[in-house]
Amino acid sequence: MNHPPLSGSRLVWITLALSMSVFMQVLDTTIANVALPTISGNLGAATSQGTWVITSFGVANAIAVPLTGWLAKQVGEVKLFTISTLLFVLTSWMCGMANSLEMLILFRVLQGAVAGPMIPLSQSLLMACYPPAKKGLALALWAMTVIVAPVFGPILGGVISDNWHWGWIFFINVPVGMAAAFISWKILKERETGLVRQPIDKLGLALLIVGVGALQMMLDRGKELDWFNSTEIVVLAIVSAVSLIYLVIWELGEKHPIVDLTLFAKRNFTVGTVAISLGFMLYFGAVVLLPLMLQTQMGYTATWAGLAAAPIGILPVFLSPIIGKNAHRLDMRWLVTISFSVYAICFFWRSTFNTEMNFAYVVWPQFIQGIGVACFFMPLTTITLSGLRPDQIASASSLSNFLRILAGSIGTSITTTLWDRREALHHAQLTQHVTLYDQASQMWFRLLETTGMSTSQQQAYTALQITRQGSLIGVNEVFWLFGIMFVALIALVWFARPPFTSSGAADSGAH
């Protein structure tokens, strides 16, 4: 049954409710990062053990997201979204109340699992409430919350853990989630989607859980265990590869697949999903790398590192609604080209970072990159969902979001590992030049001697400077590589074919 688009205050309220639920969930993926030392110390665990607080949520969430399409057909999109949001509130409260690391990890697994359907359903439900001409605006407003939340996460996490009990990181979800669930149900309950009873693909589900779970654990623990020099990582890699390959083969022949891989037969879905996943992989890698570099090498506190990253969210707040409002007049491929070009320029700009740079030198690339961010999510999501039937939107949205989230995890692992390897290489190269026979080294040590340093102090200070310089050169090389990759990605998006508004984009979700 088709429902007319919403208008007036009801449209404003539902946009706010759905956006806040997305903001809350995306925020939760990053807010715990800076609070890890506090949480670990409070619960009597090592910080390395504390990383499971993040890993456990990521694994459960990555597995749950692709199930959204199937679950939505069983209970209806509106009901599933409301239930997921309320369960997310409950599990958030349980996380805040945890008094041991084991208990917190268990509740984070539950929290990640119930959060799975929230992002894809918020997307399809929001689009269904807007008239065809304003679908772009709906997607732009939705994308804005996905962009801004990871920026606010570290700042909010730092402030809460510094000034209050770490449990408030999770407690703040309770009022926001309850309000989002109440408003969504009140406005959308009459617009419930039709039910399609399908048997569950048990083998597909088992392969998905094992394959994605093993892959996520491999990515999270790889750096700590020196990747493929570890038996555990090799075993996880083999289990993941075998499970995921068999999953693809099985799903292509399954009548009621848990993951609808036939969507990749659509050119625009494939181009959009690959572009948004690879683009997000590079973007999220930088989101993790920049604060890490500022805190470890430049002496920034967690709060100041968060503030340095925050300007990336300023321009999208103003540009996203303008772009969304005029989306029906624009070729999405040109918007994505602008996005990737700005990303490339900003990454090349960052590749000139040095140990003497001031706060403004860090902030300006972040601020300008906001243009690229504003032209990233909405156009690529529009391309991804174009040409699809209304009943395919929930499955398509969940599959593309799943791959995007997984790409973010891969980006984090690749970025930090690449940085470590390059830093080690440059550290070794720089150390080779520090000898008694090197003229520059002699001048350097004479300079340090004039400051009154002892020989051991001179050596310690020199080692520190070598580490900082090696780290900065490594960071610059990673940023340079990402800039080149964004230039290459521009070509990919031109394989998409207009029109980018279709039955799927016009009548998606809760119709």
Side-chain angles (χ1 to χ4, degrees):
M1 177 182 175
N2 288 327
H3 290 283
L6 295 176
S7 60
S9 62
R10 296 180 80 213
L11 187 58
V12 172
W13 277 109
I14 197 61
T15 302
L16 183 66
L18 293 172
S19 298
M20 285 308 295
S21 69
V22 174
F23 185 87
M24 174 180 68
Q25 202 229 293
V26 176
L27 187 76
D28 234 56
T29 60
T30 58
I31 196 170
N33 293 17
V34 293
L36 269 186
T38 309
I39 294 172
S40 303
N42 192 267
L43 297 177
T47 305
S48 58
Q49 291 175 300
T51 55
W52 283 95
V53 173
I54 295 163
T55 306
S56 54
F57 180 90
V59 171
N61 192 243
I63 291 166
V65 169
L67 299 178
T68 303
W70 181 82
L71 286 169
K73 289 173 183 172
Q74 307 307 302
V75 298
E77 289 185 20
V78 178
K79 203 175 289 178
L80 179 59
F81 176 80
T82 308
I83 292 168
S84 290
T85 306
L86 289 173
L87 288 174
F88 186 78
V89 167
L90 177 63
T91 51
S92 295
W93 179 80
M94 289 161 70
C95 287
M97 295 295 289
N99 55 19
S100 71
L101 187 67
E102 292 77 18
M103 195 180 291
L104 178 58
I105 290 169
L106 171 63
F107 294 152
R108 282 286 277 176
V109 168
L110 295 174
Q111 189 190 32
V114 300
M118 286 170 64
I119 287 183
L121 286 183
S122 66
Q123 193 179 63
S124 63
L125 289 171
L126 189 63
M127 286 175 66
C129 295
Y130 277 73
K134 292 187 176 178
K135 297 291 178 190
L137 177 61
L139 273 176
L141 293 169
W142 180 90
M144 200 163 62
T145 57
V146 176
I147 295 157
V148 174
V151 177
F152 275 94
I155 300 173
L156 207 54
V159 170
I160 289 171
S161 58
D162 287 344
N163 298 288
W164 296 287
H165 185 264
W166 59 264
W168 283 99
I169 286 170
F170 303 109
F171 291 147
I172 57 172
N173 292 336
V174 175
V176 177
M178 289 183 76
F182 174 76
I183 295 166
S184 302
W185 179 252
K186 193 166 177 62
I187 294 175
L188 297 178
K189 63 182 175 184
E190 304 302 327
R191 301 167 64 89
E192 184 59 278
T193 54
L195 304 183
V196 181
R197 297 294 179 192
Q198 290 180 346
I200 189 163
D201 173 16
K202 294 187 182 70
L203 181 58
L205 178 59
L207 290 168
L208 180 73
I209 291 170
V210 173
V212 174
L215 178 60
Q216 191 80 27
M217 284 179 67
M218 183 190 92
L219 293 170
D220 284 321
R221 291 180 54 75
K223 189 178 155 211
E224 190 185 326
L225 300 175
D226 196 21
W227 291 103
F228 294 102
N229 291 321
S230 160
T231 306
E232 181 184 328
I233 296 300
V234 172
V235 170
L236 286 171
I238 293 169
V239 169
S240 175
V242 171
S243 300
L244 292 176
I245 290 167
Y246 190 37
L247 174 68
V248 171
I249 296 167
W250 175 262
E251 295 297 81
L252 289 173
E254 175 64 21
K255 191 177 179 184
H256 303 292
I258 206 87
V259 182
D260 188 3
L261 297 176
T262 60
L263 290 164
F264 284 106
K266 301 278 187 181
R267 179 196 286 217
N268 285 358
F269 178 82
T270 303
V271 170
T273 299
V274 172
I276 203 168
S277 298
L278 292 178
F280 188 77
M281 180 180 80
L282 302 176
Y283 166 78
F284 200 73
V287 165
V288 172
L289 180 60
L290 185 65
L292 199 60
M293 182 272 290
L294 292 175
Q295 287 179 77
T296 58
Q297 305 306 321
M298 301 299 292
Y300 281 56
T301 62
T303 305
W304 275 103
L307 289 170
I312 202 169
I314 295 171
L315 287 176
V317 172
F318 299 102
L319 292 177
S320 293
I322 297 168
I323 293 168
K325 196 172 182 180
N326 296 288
H328 58 287
R329 300 193 194 104
L330 303 169
D331 186 331
M332 295 294 126
R333 295 171 299 182
W334 278 112
L335 284 177
V336 179
T337 300
I338 291 168
S339 172
F340 288 172
S341 300
V342 171
Y343 271 122
I345 290 165
C346 290
F347 277 112
F348 290 141
W349 188 351
R350 288 194 195 97
S351 71
T352 62
F353 278 180
N354 59 78
T355 54
E356 306 302 316
M357 66 183 175
N358 58 17
F359 186 73
Y361 202 80
V362 181
V363 165
W364 275 111
Q366 288 294 103
F367 179 75
I368 300 299
Q369 193 177 315
I371 299 168
V373 169
C375 300
F376 180 75
F377 276 98
M378 187 280 288
L380 281 171
T381 305
T382 303
I383 290 171
T384 302
L385 300 181
S386 63
L388 300 178
R389 300 190 311 273
D391 62 299
Q392 292 178 305
I393 295 293
S395 294
S397 179
S398 63
L399 182 53
S400 64
N401 273 291
F402 158 66
L403 291 170
R404 178 181 62 78
I405 291 165
L406 201 58
S409 293
I410 294 169
T412 302
S413 297
I414 289 174
T415 305
T416 51
T417 302
L418 199 57
W419 181 33
D420 276 359
R421 297 276 164 90
R422 298 308 295 175
E423 189 275 328
L425 174 70
H426 292 299
H427 190 284
Q429 288 176 343
L430 290 169
T431 305
Q432 287 172 3
H433 291 284
V434 182
T435 68
L436 294 172
Y437 310 104
D438 182 73
Q439 193 173 357
S441 297
Q442 290 170 4
M443 289 173 63
W444 167 255
F445 284 116
R446 276 200 294 269
L447 178 67
L448 291 183
E449 201 172 343
T450 61
T451 64
M453 286 186 184
S454 66
T455 304
S456 59
Q457 286 174 328
Q458 289 175 33
Q459 291 170 344
Y461 183 73
T462 303
L464 178 68
Q465 291 303 312
I466 288 172
T467 301
R468 285 186 75 196
Q469 294 290 349
S471 290
L472 259 293
I473 296 169
V475 163
N476 290 350
E477 287 178 339
V478 172
F479 285 145
W480 179 260
L481 175 65
F482 284 9
I484 292 170
M485 290 177 75
F486 268 114
V487 171
L489 277 176
I490 293 170
L492 172 65
V493 80
W494 286 94
F495 283 96
R497 286 285 171 266
F500 300 122
T501 50
S502 62
S503 60
D507 277 316
S508 65
H511 46 280

